[in-house]
Amino acid sequence: MKISHPLGSTAVALALGISGAGSASAQSADILGAISAGRVVAISDGDFVAGTYGSSILAPKEAGYRDMLTVLSIADGRVSKSTLPISNSVTAAPEVLALAPDGHTAFVTERLGEGPEGGTTVRDLPPGNRLFAVDLSDFADLRLVDTIEIGTHPEALAVSPDGQYIAVVSNTAEASLLQIVEFTGGRFGKISRTDLAGLGITGSAEAPRGGVTATNVHWHPSGRFLAVNINTQDRVAFFEFSDGESGPALQPWGNVVDVGRDPFVGRFTPDGRHYLTSNWGRDFSATTLDGRIPTTPSTMSVIRFADPDAGEARHEHLMAVETGNSAEGMAVSPDGRFVATINMRATAFPPGSPRHQREATVSLLTFDAQTGRLEKAGDHPFEGVLPEGGTFDLTGDHLLATVFEGHPGAGPDAGAGLEIFRVLKGEAPSLERIGRVALPHGVHHVVLSR
């Protein structure tokens, strides 16, 4: 059920979110012309509105929403848009979209499938179990070129640095799976499935999989290692990857690292020396949105990754720093100097709730690759409901953050889309808002390439 999304269940519906989603006028996508990228790719979930978390009622069919992949092509300061319907789900972490290293293929997975004809509630949505490859090479003719079935309820994916493997974590009823899918010649190949329990990641809780839930997977820049976030156990595990004659193989590498509560997503730094994890901080024992969503800020942990040439791998948790309330997505600049978290704050609560807030924030942080020191530079507010994913551009001069939908009655430049910031890199780094590019309702992640 979609209610098992990280927001969990809520006591009050927010069905009014539909009206806000479509009320904003479309700001020209040409404001993207200043960023460093040739292609911006985003995914939108057409089944959910913000109120679905409380009411279990899907978006009405008359609203015309669809699960959608949107590609914005940037050339000579001008932006062109192309779209392709592709199943995806906001109930996962934002990490369900990634690009091949050459930027010519987009990979998408679905935690839940699209609603069937006549479906009206989250119970009508089938479990997702597919990984998609979309050819982006011809902007005027986006094509779904391959699909492969994987474990149900995939939560996140990542593409290896050489583009030959897609790693996916799925949380089935029986196991948390780390899956490696081969991708060559524009097609999926063999798939290997490893139960994390067989790699030492187990739990004893009276819950599915013993309480183990994997919500993030990320490749080390060398392609030799993988990190997996186990958010229900507040820890991160690392594995060594090899590809021999018998196919891909995984084995534990170094110690499992305890971090802050609910490490939902994470990233290796560009130099591979550290792993950063954004710890949302939810209370999974709570049965209401008010109980589950914390009132205190999320945190970010810094892990010093063990020397790959060391005889005995030992990772070290260096520090943690507060970010913003309900940080879901995160981004690291290409040079590793800046980190950002996309903070939903209390935008998930309906109007009339004492916790309701109209503004989300982006937290900007600075990172010292030599010392591993992370410092918060500041929070930058913007209006919108359930922002989740984000990315820096190729030079780190701009930051893009997704906005799922607008508030009821929201005016121009306040609906679903991409919030664009300029990164000011002086002695006191900050973000300067440029504007918002309107995108289909339900946008929840964004990536880009040359």
Side-chain angles (χ1 to χ4, degrees), residues 178 180 192 194-196 198-201 224-228 237-243 247-256 305 308 311 313 315:
L178 176 50
I180 305 295
S192 64
T194 303
D195 185 344
L196 289 179
L199 296 173
I201 307 302
R224 180 181 161 190
F225 307 102
L226 286 155
V228 175
F238 299 95
F239 306 101
E240 186 172 22
F241 169 81
S242 60
D243 185 18
L250 295 162
Q251 63 179 0
W253 197 75
N255 53 305
V256 177
F305 191 66
H315 316 295

PDB file of all heavy atoms in Angstrom, residues 178 180 192 194-196 198-201 224-228 237-243 247-256 305 308 311 313 315:
ATOM      1  N   LEU A 178      19.485  -6.852  -2.630  1.00  0.00           N
ATOM      2  CA  LEU A 178      20.401  -6.007  -3.383  1.00  0.00           C
ATOM      3  C   LEU A 178      20.601  -6.697  -4.727  1.00  0.00           C
ATOM      4  O   LEU A 178      21.162  -7.788  -4.800  1.00  0.00           O
ATOM      5  CB  LEU A 178      21.719  -5.836  -2.642  1.00  0.00           C
ATOM      6  CG  LEU A 178      22.827  -5.047  -3.358  1.00  0.00           C
ATOM      7  CD1 LEU A 178      22.321  -3.723  -3.902  1.00  0.00           C
ATOM      8  CD2 LEU A 178      24.006  -4.829  -2.416  1.00  0.00           C
ATOM      9  N   ILE A 180      21.764  -6.684  -8.818  1.00  0.00           N
ATOM     10  CA  ILE A 180      22.676  -6.121  -9.802  1.00  0.00           C
ATOM     11  C   ILE A 180      22.189  -6.553 -11.188  1.00  0.00           C
ATOM     12  O   ILE A 180      22.129  -7.749 -11.494  1.00  0.00           O
ATOM     13  CB  ILE A 180      24.123  -6.605  -9.581  1.00  0.00           C
ATOM     14  CG1 ILE A 180      24.585  -6.301  -8.152  1.00  0.00           C
ATOM     15  CG2 ILE A 180      25.048  -5.957 -10.606  1.00  0.00           C
ATOM     16  CD1 ILE A 180      24.685  -4.828  -7.808  1.00  0.00           C
ATOM     17  N   SER A 192      21.353 -10.512 -10.907  1.00  0.00           N
ATOM     18  CA  SER A 192      21.716 -11.289  -9.727  1.00  0.00           C
ATOM     19  C   SER A 192      21.023 -10.684  -8.518  1.00  0.00           C
ATOM     20  O   SER A 192      20.972  -9.458  -8.363  1.00  0.00           O
ATOM     21  CB  SER A 192      23.233 -11.306  -9.520  1.00  0.00           C
ATOM     22  OG  SER A 192      23.728 -10.003  -9.254  1.00  0.00           O
ATOM     23  N   THR A 194      20.728 -10.738  -4.297  1.00  0.00           N
ATOM     24  CA  THR A 194      21.367 -11.133  -3.047  1.00  0.00           C
ATOM     25  C   THR A 194      20.522 -10.666  -1.878  1.00  0.00           C
ATOM     26  O   THR A 194      20.213  -9.479  -1.763  1.00  0.00           O
ATOM     27  CB  THR A 194      22.777 -10.521  -2.936  1.00  0.00           C
ATOM     28  OG1 THR A 194      23.567 -10.914  -4.054  1.00  0.00           O
ATOM     29  CG2 THR A 194      23.456 -10.968  -1.654  1.00  0.00           C
ATOM     30  N   ASP A 195      20.123 -11.605  -1.030  1.00  0.00           N
ATOM     31  CA  ASP A 195      19.402 -11.264   0.190  1.00  0.00           C
ATOM     32  C   ASP A 195      20.394 -10.622   1.155  1.00  0.00           C
ATOM     33  O   ASP A 195      21.444 -11.200   1.462  1.00  0.00           O
ATOM     34  CB  ASP A 195      18.802 -12.540   0.794  1.00  0.00           C
ATOM     35  CG  ASP A 195      17.919 -12.273   2.006  1.00  0.00           C
ATOM     36  OD1 ASP A 195      17.987 -11.169   2.575  1.00  0.00           O
ATOM     37  OD2 ASP A 195      17.174 -13.196   2.395  1.00  0.00           O
ATOM     38  N   LEU A 196      20.085  -9.433   1.639  1.00  0.00           N
ATOM     39  CA  LEU A 196      20.999  -8.759   2.558  1.00  0.00           C
ATOM     40  C   LEU A 196      21.247  -9.585   3.821  1.00  0.00           C
ATOM     41  O   LEU A 196      22.300  -9.447   4.451  1.00  0.00           O
ATOM     42  CB  LEU A 196      20.453  -7.380   2.934  1.00  0.00           C
ATOM     43  CG  LEU A 196      20.478  -6.320   1.820  1.00  0.00           C
ATOM     44  CD1 LEU A 196      19.890  -5.005   2.340  1.00  0.00           C
ATOM     45  CD2 LEU A 196      21.888  -6.096   1.305  1.00  0.00           C
ATOM     46  N   GLY A 198      21.928 -12.622   3.873  1.00  0.00           N
ATOM     47  CA  GLY A 198      23.069 -13.460   3.569  1.00  0.00           C
ATOM     48  C   GLY A 198      24.384 -12.710   3.613  1.00  0.00           C
ATOM     49  O   GLY A 198      25.460 -13.327   3.605  1.00  0.00           O
ATOM     50  N   LEU A 199      24.300 -11.368   3.664  1.00  0.00           N
ATOM     51  CA  LEU A 199      25.493 -10.524   3.775  1.00  0.00           C
ATOM     52  C   LEU A 199      25.647  -9.981   5.190  1.00  0.00           C
ATOM     53  O   LEU A 199      26.425  -9.068   5.431  1.00  0.00           O
ATOM     54  CB  LEU A 199      25.422  -9.374   2.768  1.00  0.00           C
ATOM     55  CG  LEU A 199      25.430  -9.781   1.288  1.00  0.00           C
ATOM     56  CD1 LEU A 199      25.189  -8.559   0.399  1.00  0.00           C
ATOM     57  CD2 LEU A 199      26.748 -10.451   0.924  1.00  0.00           C
ATOM     58  N   GLY A 200      24.890 -10.555   6.121  1.00  0.00           N
ATOM     59  CA  GLY A 200      25.039 -10.171   7.524  1.00  0.00           C
ATOM     60  C   GLY A 200      24.103  -9.097   8.012  1.00  0.00           C
ATOM     61  O   GLY A 200      24.192  -8.685   9.175  1.00  0.00           O
ATOM     62  N   ILE A 201      23.190  -8.617   7.155  1.00  0.00           N
ATOM     63  CA  ILE A 201      22.262  -7.557   7.558  1.00  0.00           C
ATOM     64  C   ILE A 201      20.946  -8.213   7.956  1.00  0.00           C
ATOM     65  O   ILE A 201      20.100  -8.531   7.116  1.00  0.00           O
ATOM     66  CB  ILE A 201      22.050  -6.539   6.429  1.00  0.00           C
ATOM     67  CG1 ILE A 201      23.388  -6.010   5.923  1.00  0.00           C
ATOM     68  CG2 ILE A 201      21.162  -5.398   6.911  1.00  0.00           C
ATOM     69  CD1 ILE A 201      24.240  -5.352   6.985  1.00  0.00           C
ATOM     70  N   ARG A 224      34.011  -0.168  -7.315  1.00  0.00           N
ATOM     71  CA  ARG A 224      34.394  -1.387  -6.600  1.00  0.00           C
ATOM     72  C   ARG A 224      33.521  -1.654  -5.377  1.00  0.00           C
ATOM     73  O   ARG A 224      33.457  -2.798  -4.905  1.00  0.00           O
ATOM     74  CB  ARG A 224      35.862  -1.270  -6.179  1.00  0.00           C
ATOM     75  CG  ARG A 224      36.415  -2.456  -5.419  1.00  0.00           C
ATOM     76  CD  ARG A 224      37.866  -2.222  -5.030  1.00  0.00           C
ATOM     77  NE  ARG A 224      38.278  -3.115  -3.942  1.00  0.00           N
ATOM     78  CZ  ARG A 224      39.428  -2.992  -3.279  1.00  0.00           C
ATOM     79  NH1 ARG A 224      40.284  -2.037  -3.605  1.00  0.00           N
ATOM     80  NH2 ARG A 224      39.710  -3.836  -2.296  1.00  0.00           N
ATOM     81  N   PHE A 225      32.841  -0.630  -4.873  1.00  0.00           N
ATOM     82  CA  PHE A 225      32.079  -0.769  -3.631  1.00  0.00           C
ATOM     83  C   PHE A 225      30.672  -0.208  -3.801  1.00  0.00           C
ATOM     84  O   PHE A 225      30.415   0.635  -4.664  1.00  0.00           O
ATOM     85  CB  PHE A 225      32.779  -0.047  -2.478  1.00  0.00           C
ATOM     86  CG  PHE A 225      34.217  -0.440  -2.288  1.00  0.00           C
ATOM     87  CD1 PHE A 225      35.242   0.380  -2.735  1.00  0.00           C
ATOM     88  CD2 PHE A 225      34.542  -1.642  -1.671  1.00  0.00           C
ATOM     89  CE1 PHE A 225      36.569   0.028  -2.570  1.00  0.00           C
ATOM     90  CE2 PHE A 225      35.873  -2.012  -1.500  1.00  0.00           C
ATOM     91  CZ  PHE A 225      36.883  -1.183  -1.955  1.00  0.00           C
ATOM     92  N   LEU A 226      29.779  -0.668  -2.917  1.00  0.00           N
ATOM     93  CA  LEU A 226      28.419  -0.164  -2.839  1.00  0.00           C
ATOM     94  C   LEU A 226      28.084   0.148  -1.388  1.00  0.00           C
ATOM     95  O   LEU A 226      28.518  -0.565  -0.476  1.00  0.00           O
ATOM     96  CB  LEU A 226      27.421  -1.198  -3.360  1.00  0.00           C
ATOM     97  CG  LEU A 226      27.373  -1.407  -4.876  1.00  0.00           C
ATOM     98  CD1 LEU A 226      26.843  -2.790  -5.187  1.00  0.00           C
ATOM     99  CD2 LEU A 226      26.516  -0.335  -5.523  1.00  0.00           C
ATOM    100  N   ALA A 227      27.328   1.219  -1.180  1.00  0.00           N
ATOM    101  CA  ALA A 227      26.787   1.548   0.140  1.00  0.00           C
ATOM    102  C   ALA A 227      25.290   1.318   0.121  1.00  0.00           C
ATOM    103  O   ALA A 227      24.619   1.634  -0.873  1.00  0.00           O
ATOM    104  CB  ALA A 227      27.094   2.997   0.501  1.00  0.00           C
ATOM    105  N   VAL A 228      24.751   0.785   1.208  1.00  0.00           N
ATOM    106  CA  VAL A 228      23.311   0.564   1.336  1.00  0.00           C
ATOM    107  C   VAL A 228      22.860   1.119   2.682  1.00  0.00           C
ATOM    108  O   VAL A 228      23.420   0.756   3.726  1.00  0.00           O
ATOM    109  CB  VAL A 228      22.953  -0.932   1.231  1.00  0.00           C
ATOM    110  CG1 VAL A 228      21.465  -1.139   1.497  1.00  0.00           C
ATOM    111  CG2 VAL A 228      23.330  -1.484  -0.143  1.00  0.00           C
ATOM    112  N   ALA A 237      25.644  -0.002   5.532  1.00  0.00           N
ATOM    113  CA  ALA A 237      26.511  -1.145   5.263  1.00  0.00           C
ATOM    114  C   ALA A 237      27.237  -0.940   3.944  1.00  0.00           C
ATOM    115  O   ALA A 237      26.706  -0.315   3.013  1.00  0.00           O
ATOM    116  CB  ALA A 237      25.696  -2.440   5.219  1.00  0.00           C
ATOM    117  N   PHE A 238      28.449  -1.476   3.865  1.00  0.00           N
ATOM    118  CA  PHE A 238      29.264  -1.347   2.654  1.00  0.00           C
ATOM    119  C   PHE A 238      29.628  -2.734   2.132  1.00  0.00           C
ATOM    120  O   PHE A 238      29.921  -3.657   2.909  1.00  0.00           O
ATOM    121  CB  PHE A 238      30.534  -0.546   2.956  1.00  0.00           C
ATOM    122  CG  PHE A 238      30.256   0.854   3.429  1.00  0.00           C
ATOM    123  CD1 PHE A 238      30.214   1.144   4.793  1.00  0.00           C
ATOM    124  CD2 PHE A 238      30.008   1.868   2.532  1.00  0.00           C
ATOM    125  CE1 PHE A 238      29.948   2.428   5.235  1.00  0.00           C
ATOM    126  CE2 PHE A 238      29.735   3.162   2.963  1.00  0.00           C
ATOM    127  CZ  PHE A 238      29.705   3.441   4.320  1.00  0.00           C
ATOM    128  N   PHE A 239      29.623  -2.859   0.811  1.00  0.00           N
ATOM    129  CA  PHE A 239      29.894  -4.144   0.179  1.00  0.00           C
ATOM    130  C   PHE A 239      30.897  -3.964  -0.962  1.00  0.00           C
ATOM    131  O   PHE A 239      30.903  -2.940  -1.644  1.00  0.00           O
ATOM    132  CB  PHE A 239      28.600  -4.757  -0.370  1.00  0.00           C
ATOM    133  CG  PHE A 239      27.518  -4.877   0.661  1.00  0.00           C
ATOM    134  CD1 PHE A 239      26.479  -3.957   0.719  1.00  0.00           C
ATOM    135  CD2 PHE A 239      27.567  -5.884   1.609  1.00  0.00           C
ATOM    136  CE1 PHE A 239      25.493  -4.049   1.686  1.00  0.00           C
ATOM    137  CE2 PHE A 239      26.578  -5.988   2.584  1.00  0.00           C
ATOM    138  CZ  PHE A 239      25.545  -5.068   2.621  1.00  0.00           C
ATOM    139  N   GLU A 240      31.718  -5.000  -1.143  1.00  0.00           N
ATOM    140  CA  GLU A 240      32.658  -5.011  -2.248  1.00  0.00           C
ATOM    141  C   GLU A 240      32.023  -5.773  -3.416  1.00  0.00           C
ATOM    142  O   GLU A 240      31.455  -6.857  -3.240  1.00  0.00           O
ATOM    143  CB  GLU A 240      33.971  -5.669  -1.844  1.00  0.00           C
ATOM    144  CG  GLU A 240      35.036  -5.577  -2.933  1.00  0.00           C
ATOM    145  CD  GLU A 240      36.392  -6.058  -2.471  1.00  0.00           C
ATOM    146  OE1 GLU A 240      36.447  -6.836  -1.487  1.00  0.00           O
ATOM    147  OE2 GLU A 240      37.409  -5.656  -3.083  1.00  0.00           O
ATOM    148  N   PHE A 241      32.143  -5.188  -4.598  1.00  0.00           N
ATOM    149  CA  PHE A 241      31.556  -5.757  -5.818  1.00  0.00           C
ATOM    150  C   PHE A 241      32.657  -6.298  -6.708  1.00  0.00           C
ATOM    151  O   PHE A 241      33.711  -5.671  -6.880  1.00  0.00           O
ATOM    152  CB  PHE A 241      30.782  -4.671  -6.561  1.00  0.00           C
ATOM    153  CG  PHE A 241      30.349  -5.055  -7.946  1.00  0.00           C
ATOM    154  CD1 PHE A 241      29.218  -5.826  -8.145  1.00  0.00           C
ATOM    155  CD2 PHE A 241      31.088  -4.652  -9.050  1.00  0.00           C
ATOM    156  CE1 PHE A 241      28.825  -6.182  -9.432  1.00  0.00           C
ATOM    157  CE2 PHE A 241      30.704  -4.996 -10.333  1.00  0.00           C
ATOM    158  CZ  PHE A 241      29.572  -5.764 -10.527  1.00  0.00           C
ATOM    159  N   SER A 242      32.435  -7.468  -7.273  1.00  0.00           N
ATOM    160  CA  SER A 242      33.369  -8.020  -8.249  1.00  0.00           C
ATOM    161  C   SER A 242      32.571  -8.712  -9.337  1.00  0.00           C
ATOM    162  O   SER A 242      31.429  -9.132  -9.128  1.00  0.00           O
ATOM    163  CB  SER A 242      34.332  -9.017  -7.591  1.00  0.00           C
ATOM    164  OG  SER A 242      33.621 -10.098  -7.009  1.00  0.00           O
ATOM    165  N   ASP A 243      33.171  -8.801 -10.509  1.00  0.00           N
ATOM    166  CA  ASP A 243      32.499  -9.432 -11.637  1.00  0.00           C
ATOM    167  C   ASP A 243      33.443 -10.461 -12.242  1.00  0.00           C
ATOM    168  O   ASP A 243      34.356 -10.115 -13.003  1.00  0.00           O
ATOM    169  CB  ASP A 243      32.099  -8.382 -12.677  1.00  0.00           C
ATOM    170  CG  ASP A 243      31.284  -8.987 -13.814  1.00  0.00           C
ATOM    171  OD1 ASP A 243      30.759 -10.106 -13.628  1.00  0.00           O
ATOM    172  OD2 ASP A 243      31.186  -8.360 -14.877  1.00  0.00           O
ATOM    173  N   GLY A 247      29.826 -14.287 -12.908  1.00  0.00           N
ATOM    174  CA  GLY A 247      28.923 -13.151 -12.808  1.00  0.00           C
ATOM    175  C   GLY A 247      29.206 -12.277 -11.606  1.00  0.00           C
ATOM    176  O   GLY A 247      30.152 -12.520 -10.856  1.00  0.00           O
ATOM    177  N   PRO A 248      28.377 -11.253 -11.387  1.00  0.00           N
ATOM    178  CA  PRO A 248      28.584 -10.321 -10.285  1.00  0.00           C
ATOM    179  C   PRO A 248      28.525 -11.013  -8.936  1.00  0.00           C
ATOM    180  O   PRO A 248      27.742 -11.942  -8.725  1.00  0.00           O
ATOM    181  CB  PRO A 248      27.431  -9.325 -10.441  1.00  0.00           C
ATOM    182  CG  PRO A 248      27.039  -9.412 -11.877  1.00  0.00           C
ATOM    183  CD  PRO A 248      27.252 -10.851 -12.249  1.00  0.00           C
ATOM    184  N   ALA A 249      29.372 -10.543  -8.011  1.00  0.00           N
ATOM    185  CA  ALA A 249      29.391 -11.080  -6.651  1.00  0.00           C
ATOM    186  C   ALA A 249      29.561  -9.939  -5.663  1.00  0.00           C
ATOM    187  O   ALA A 249      30.191  -8.916  -5.972  1.00  0.00           O
ATOM    188  CB  ALA A 249      30.522 -12.094  -6.496  1.00  0.00           C
ATOM    189  N   LEU A 250      28.995 -10.116  -4.486  1.00  0.00           N
ATOM    190  CA  LEU A 250      29.062  -9.117  -3.424  1.00  0.00           C
ATOM    191  C   LEU A 250      29.536  -9.774  -2.144  1.00  0.00           C
ATOM    192  O   LEU A 250      29.212 -10.931  -1.862  1.00  0.00           O
ATOM    193  CB  LEU A 250      27.685  -8.496  -3.182  1.00  0.00           C
ATOM    194  CG  LEU A 250      27.085  -7.664  -4.317  1.00  0.00           C
ATOM    195  CD1 LEU A 250      25.591  -7.494  -4.110  1.00  0.00           C
ATOM    196  CD2 LEU A 250      27.775  -6.308  -4.392  1.00  0.00           C
ATOM    197  N   GLN A 251      30.304  -9.025  -1.361  1.00  0.00           N
ATOM    198  CA  GLN A 251      30.684  -9.482  -0.032  1.00  0.00           C
ATOM    199  C   GLN A 251      30.808  -8.275   0.887  1.00  0.00           C
ATOM    200  O   GLN A 251      31.114  -7.168   0.429  1.00  0.00           O
ATOM    201  CB  GLN A 251      32.000 -10.255  -0.070  1.00  0.00           C
ATOM    202  CG  GLN A 251      33.199  -9.456  -0.524  1.00  0.00           C
ATOM    203  CD  GLN A 251      34.471 -10.295  -0.511  1.00  0.00           C
ATOM    204  OE1 GLN A 251      34.470 -11.471  -0.174  1.00  0.00           O
ATOM    205  NE2 GLN A 251      35.583  -9.679  -0.879  1.00  0.00           N
ATOM    206  N   PRO A 252      30.535  -8.450   2.184  1.00  0.00           N
ATOM    207  CA  PRO A 252      30.675  -7.321   3.120  1.00  0.00           C
ATOM    208  C   PRO A 252      32.089  -6.777   3.079  1.00  0.00           C
ATOM    209  O   PRO A 252      33.064  -7.520   2.914  1.00  0.00           O
ATOM    210  CB  PRO A 252      30.365  -7.961   4.476  1.00  0.00           C
ATOM    211  CG  PRO A 252      29.555  -9.165   4.160  1.00  0.00           C
ATOM    212  CD  PRO A 252      30.078  -9.681   2.856  1.00  0.00           C
ATOM    213  N   TRP A 253      32.197  -5.457   3.219  1.00  0.00           N
ATOM    214  CA  TRP A 253      33.517  -4.831   3.209  1.00  0.00           C
ATOM    215  C   TRP A 253      33.582  -3.818   4.347  1.00  0.00           C
ATOM    216  O   TRP A 253      32.913  -2.784   4.324  1.00  0.00           O
ATOM    217  CB  TRP A 253      33.809  -4.143   1.880  1.00  0.00           C
ATOM    218  CG  TRP A 253      35.275  -3.849   1.707  1.00  0.00           C
ATOM    219  CD1 TRP A 253      36.262  -4.738   1.403  1.00  0.00           C
ATOM    220  CD2 TRP A 253      35.910  -2.574   1.839  1.00  0.00           C
ATOM    221  NE1 TRP A 253      37.477  -4.102   1.335  1.00  0.00           N
ATOM    222  CE2 TRP A 253      37.298  -2.781   1.597  1.00  0.00           C
ATOM    223  CE3 TRP A 253      35.460  -1.289   2.144  1.00  0.00           C
ATOM    224  CZ2 TRP A 253      38.227  -1.747   1.646  1.00  0.00           C
ATOM    225  CZ3 TRP A 253      36.380  -0.254   2.194  1.00  0.00           C
ATOM    226  CH2 TRP A 253      37.746  -0.487   1.948  1.00  0.00           C
ATOM    227  N   GLY A 254      34.333  -4.155   5.371  1.00  0.00           N
ATOM    228  CA  GLY A 254      34.442  -3.265   6.516  1.00  0.00           C
ATOM    229  C   GLY A 254      33.244  -3.390   7.437  1.00  0.00           C
ATOM    230  O   GLY A 254      32.349  -4.219   7.249  1.00  0.00           O
ATOM    231  N   ASN A 255      33.234  -2.564   8.431  1.00  0.00           N
ATOM    232  CA  ASN A 255      32.204  -2.601   9.459  1.00  0.00           C
ATOM    233  C   ASN A 255      30.932  -1.893   9.025  1.00  0.00           C
ATOM    234  O   ASN A 255      30.951  -0.963   8.206  1.00  0.00           O
ATOM    235  CB  ASN A 255      32.721  -1.948  10.744  1.00  0.00           C
ATOM    236  CG  ASN A 255      33.280  -0.558  10.492  1.00  0.00           C
ATOM    237  OD1 ASN A 255      34.168  -0.378   9.651  1.00  0.00           O
ATOM    238  ND2 ASN A 255      32.767   0.432  11.202  1.00  0.00           N
ATOM    239  N   VAL A 256      29.800  -2.333   9.570  1.00  0.00           N
ATOM    240  CA  VAL A 256      28.547  -1.605   9.426  1.00  0.00           C
ATOM    241  C   VAL A 256      28.598  -0.412  10.375  1.00  0.00           C
ATOM    242  O   VAL A 256      29.022  -0.545  11.523  1.00  0.00           O
ATOM    243  CB  VAL A 256      27.348  -2.513   9.750  1.00  0.00           C
ATOM    244  CG1 VAL A 256      26.044  -1.735   9.667  1.00  0.00           C
ATOM    245  CG2 VAL A 256      27.319  -3.711   8.801  1.00  0.00           C
ATOM    246  N   PHE A 305      35.277   6.823   4.722  1.00  0.00           N
ATOM    247  CA  PHE A 305      35.331   5.509   4.096  1.00  0.00           C
ATOM    248  C   PHE A 305      36.740   4.940   4.223  1.00  0.00           C
ATOM    249  O   PHE A 305      37.733   5.652   4.050  1.00  0.00           O
ATOM    250  CB  PHE A 305      34.941   5.652   2.623  1.00  0.00           C
ATOM    251  CG  PHE A 305      34.705   4.360   1.908  1.00  0.00           C
ATOM    252  CD1 PHE A 305      33.648   3.543   2.264  1.00  0.00           C
ATOM    253  CD2 PHE A 305      35.528   3.959   0.871  1.00  0.00           C
ATOM    254  CE1 PHE A 305      33.411   2.358   1.592  1.00  0.00           C
ATOM    255  CE2 PHE A 305      35.313   2.777   0.198  1.00  0.00           C
ATOM    256  CZ  PHE A 305      34.243   1.968   0.563  1.00  0.00           C
ATOM    257  N   PRO A 308      40.708   1.899   0.507  1.00  0.00           N
ATOM    258  CA  PRO A 308      40.505   0.665  -0.269  1.00  0.00           C
ATOM    259  C   PRO A 308      41.727  -0.244  -0.306  1.00  0.00           C
ATOM    260  O   PRO A 308      41.598  -1.445  -0.555  1.00  0.00           O
ATOM    261  CB  PRO A 308      40.157   1.182  -1.665  1.00  0.00           C
ATOM    262  CG  PRO A 308      39.587   2.540  -1.433  1.00  0.00           C
ATOM    263  CD  PRO A 308      40.370   3.092  -0.278  1.00  0.00           C
ATOM    264  N   GLY A 311      44.672  -3.130   4.694  1.00  0.00           N
ATOM    265  CA  GLY A 311      44.536  -4.567   4.931  1.00  0.00           C
ATOM    266  C   GLY A 311      43.223  -4.915   5.599  1.00  0.00           C
ATOM    267  O   GLY A 311      42.552  -5.873   5.213  1.00  0.00           O
ATOM    268  N   ALA A 313      39.590  -3.212   6.502  1.00  0.00           N
ATOM    269  CA  ALA A 313      38.751  -2.043   6.263  1.00  0.00           C
ATOM    270  C   ALA A 313      38.023  -1.650   7.540  1.00  0.00           C
ATOM    271  O   ALA A 313      37.341  -2.472   8.165  1.00  0.00           O
ATOM    272  CB  ALA A 313      37.747  -2.347   5.165  1.00  0.00           C
ATOM    273  N   HIS A 315      35.619   1.629   8.616  1.00  0.00           N
ATOM    274  CA  HIS A 315      34.985   2.918   8.369  1.00  0.00           C
ATOM    275  C   HIS A 315      34.756   3.639   9.698  1.00  0.00           C
ATOM    276  O   HIS A 315      34.549   2.998  10.733  1.00  0.00           O
ATOM    277  CB  HIS A 315      33.653   2.720   7.645  1.00  0.00           C
ATOM    278  CG  HIS A 315      33.707   1.725   6.526  1.00  0.00           C
ATOM    279  ND1 HIS A 315      34.460   1.923   5.392  1.00  0.00           N
ATOM    280  CD2 HIS A 315      33.117   0.506   6.377  1.00  0.00           C
ATOM    281  CE1 HIS A 315      34.317   0.879   4.587  1.00  0.00           C
ATOM    282  NE2 HIS A 315      33.513   0.011   5.162  1.00  0.00           N
TER     283      HIS A 315
END
